Amino acid sequence: MPGDLLSDPPSAIVAGPALFSDALAAQGVTVTRVDWQPPAAAGDLAVLWCDEVDAANRTALDRLLAAQPVLVDVRPAIDVVPGLTRDTVLHAGPPIAWELMSGPLRGAVAGALVYEGLASTKEDAERLAASGAIRFDPCHHHQAVGPMAGVMTASMPVFVVENRAAGNRAYSTINEGLGKVLRYGAYAPEVLDRLRWFRDGLGPALGEAIRSTGGVDLRALIGQAVQMGDECHNRNRAASALLIKALAPSIAALDVPAAERARMLAFAGGNEHFFLNASMAACKAALDAAHGVPHSTLVTAMARNGTDFGIRVSGLGDRWFTGPAQTPRGLFFPGFGPEHANPDIGDSAITETAGLGGFAMAGAPAVVQFVGGTPADALRFTRLMYEITSGESAAYRLPTLDFRGTPTGIDVRLVAQTGILPQINTGMAHREAGIGQIGAGLVNPPRVCFDLALAALTEDAR
């Protein structure tokens, strides 16, 4: 029977400022928040709905969908990442100065400087970072991506992913696992010891194993994992298992002590996020091929540094369009809550930009046990993302949607026209340096990023 308007508890659906929903919630009203804003003015969009832009977007989308990312090696970052020097620290998100960095990014920078031997203590590292002697630059400026704080320095081993359709490469560090890790701003001795083992043991071994296989086809692997229930951002169980399966025989054949081989396989097997960083590099390689198409309105990067959220657009060169990073909503580890969470951070939204992550949640409903929401939400999020994308993946298909391809190719015009913002699922870092991961959740970019990009596109078109 329908509810009784007078006797049932009140509930409300609120679209607009948080002030309204917070006031109702404070009075015990059940509130459903809808992240919606009025669409852009028709005049701002009309100039962009034209044959020239449509043709540019088809070119960019074709390059994105045609990408063939292959994991070909693991090498020290200094040997392969363009423009990286011994005194450079790469970070996630758009450009940011030391004094504006959030707690987890500062913690990761300090830990990386100690790891590299450029500082002896956290305090020494902070003084060095503030002195101007260290160059900070986004990973995205160096064909690289970094999860969460995203810190990458010279001696860190990195996955090398080659897009064999376009010939470009992308790079990412090796995933450390969850909890107290550098990418979440932790820098305890055990964190740095793990990184040194990556440098001296695991990284070289993985490189040798990958080279001996002739490379791992990441497009095929991701396609299989999506059909096994992964979305390859916050759920990587199948993808990690598939990657370990592909590499295990070569690792077992390495000329290293048996105990060390066992340690490597145990680490990879016990890290359900082992594949995440390879997934990010695969998406980066695909999107870099789609970047730089004149007049294209396709988004080729979404990234966060813990302070700002930024996007880049194919037809707008290397400009960033930024707004304040939002704080994710989700599930917290015991002892933590929303008051402890840092604003959104990391380059891992490159997966959503390429049609995975939050865009593929319909095929990975179990991910809601990690990030929050319900299986029905997972289906709804993916269906909604078709409204703001220009195409569908031929490689990544969703059994729950009759094997429809994942929504791919975010179009600034469609975001502006519909008012729908990209859906991202993400980990959550403690706002203070040194503590690490405290949960995972869901978040959207700030609308202003797309408004600024739309204004720039419109100006260029006129």
Side-chain angles (χ1 to χ4, degrees):
M1 293 180 63
D4 190 311
L5 181 63
L6 298 178
S7 62
D8 284 355
S11 61
I13 298 175
V14 178
L19 174 67
F20 300 152
S21 56
D22 291 346
L24 289 169
Q27 299 176 65
V29 176
T30 300
V31 175
T32 300
R33 296 175 174 86
V34 178
D35 192 358
W36 180 87
Q37 295 185 44
D44 293 337
L45 281 169
V47 69
L48 298 176
W49 288 108
C50 63
D51 291 344
E52 184 177 43
V53 173
D54 289 344
N57 282 348
R58 283 194 297 272
T59 297
L61 182 65
D62 286 349
R63 292 178 184 178
L64 170 57
L65 297 179
Q68 298 176 15
V70 177
L71 177 61
V72 296
D73 210 342
V74 171
R75 292 287 186 184
I78 191 70
D79 292 346
V80 290
V81 176
L84 185 62
T85 62
R86 296 283 177 187
D87 59 355
T88 298
V89 175
L90 304 185
H91 61 78
I96 189 169
W98 168 257
E99 58 269 18
L100 298 177
M101 290 182 186
S102 63
L105 183 48
R106 285 187 173 220
V109 168
L113 293 176
V114 174
Y115 157 79
E116 291 289 352
L118 298 174
S120 56
T121 65
K122 169 182 174 287
E123 292 72 24
D124 287 343
E126 289 176 336
R127 284 191 290 271
L128 178 62
S131 72
I134 299 299
R135 180 170 71 109
F136 296 107
D137 211 22
C139 292
H140 271 289
H141 291 184
H142 298 261
Q143 300 171 214
V145 278
M148 302 308 292
V151 169
M152 180 184 291
T153 54
S155 70
M156 292 181 181
V158 296
F159 287 124
V160 180
V161 173
E162 181 176 278
N163 175 9
R164 290 186 172 167
N168 63 300
R169 288 187 166 191
Y171 310 93
S172 64
T173 52
I174 298 172
N175 190 277
E176 306 161 78
L178 300 179
K180 185 169 282 192
V181 290
L182 187 77
R183 74 179 191 277
Y184 279 98
Y187 47 79
E190 63 268 25
V191 174
L192 303 187
D193 286 344
R194 186 189 304 116
L195 292 178
R196 294 182 183 107
W197 175 60
F198 282 10
R199 178 192 64 203
D200 301 331
L202 181 63
L206 285 175
E208 185 176 344
I210 292 166
R211 292 190 297 274
S212 73
T213 68
V216 179
D217 184 341
L218 296 183
R219 172 174 160 148
L221 192 155
I222 293 171
Q224 185 177 358
V226 166
Q227 295 194 17
M228 295 170 69
D230 281 357
E231 38 73 72
C232 293
H233 183 173
N234 274 290
R235 185 177 174 87
N236 288 280
R237 290 186 176 184
S240 295
L242 291 170
L243 181 58
I244 296 163
K245 177 184 175 184
L247 297 179
S250 295
I251 293 174
L254 293 174
D255 185 19
V256 298
E260 184 68 0
R261 296 197 301 269
R263 182 186 181 188
M264 293 171 185
L265 291 170
F267 171 79
N271 178 3
E272 292 182 352
H273 277 61
F274 184 67
F275 185 75
L276 170 60
N277 297 26
S279 173
M280 291 171 56
C283 293
K284 172 66 172 171
L287 285 156
D288 273 1
H291 191 71
V293 179
H295 311 296
S296 174
T297 59
L298 258 63
V299 177
T300 51
M302 295 193 295
R304 315 86 94 198
N305 56 33
T307 302
D308 304 312
F309 192 113
I311 68 171
R312 296 207 295 181
V313 178
S314 179
L316 293 174
D318 292 332
R319 284 180 278 179
W320 287 94
F321 301 92
T322 64
Q326 309 297 296
T327 301
R329 314 167 301 279
L331 303 178
F332 291 89
F333 296 164
F336 299 106
E339 69 277 14
H340 302 115
N342 195 77
D344 198 20
I345 186 170
D347 285 336
S348 56
I350 196 72
T351 56
E352 278 83 4
T353 318
L356 296 170
F359 284 49
M361 285 178 68
V367 76
V368 301
Q369 297 176 92
F370 185 60
V371 301
T374 67
D377 290 331
L379 285 163
R380 179 171 58 85
F381 291 145
T382 295
R383 289 192 174 112
L384 201 59
M385 294 303 97
Y386 287 110
E387 301 296 319
I388 60 171
T389 48
S390 296
E392 300 178 14
S393 174
Y396 311 145
R397 296 184 177 274
L398 302 169
T400 51
L401 296 180
D402 295 326
F403 293 93
R404 187 176 182 181
T406 64
T408 309
I410 302 166
D411 188 338
V412 171
R413 300 177 302 177
L414 293 174
V415 173
Q417 181 172 278
T418 64
I420 297 169
L421 294 170
Q423 184 63 56
I424 298 167
N425 57 42
T426 185
M428 287 188 279
H430 197 287
R431 62 174 56 251
E432 296 178 13
I435 296 177
Q437 185 182 14
I438 61 171
L442 301 165
V443 74
N444 302 102
R447 169 70 180 268
V448 67
C449 299
F450 296 90
D451 290 342
L452 292 171
L454 180 71
L457 288 162
T458 302
E459 182 180 353
D460 287 357
R462 288 175 174 159

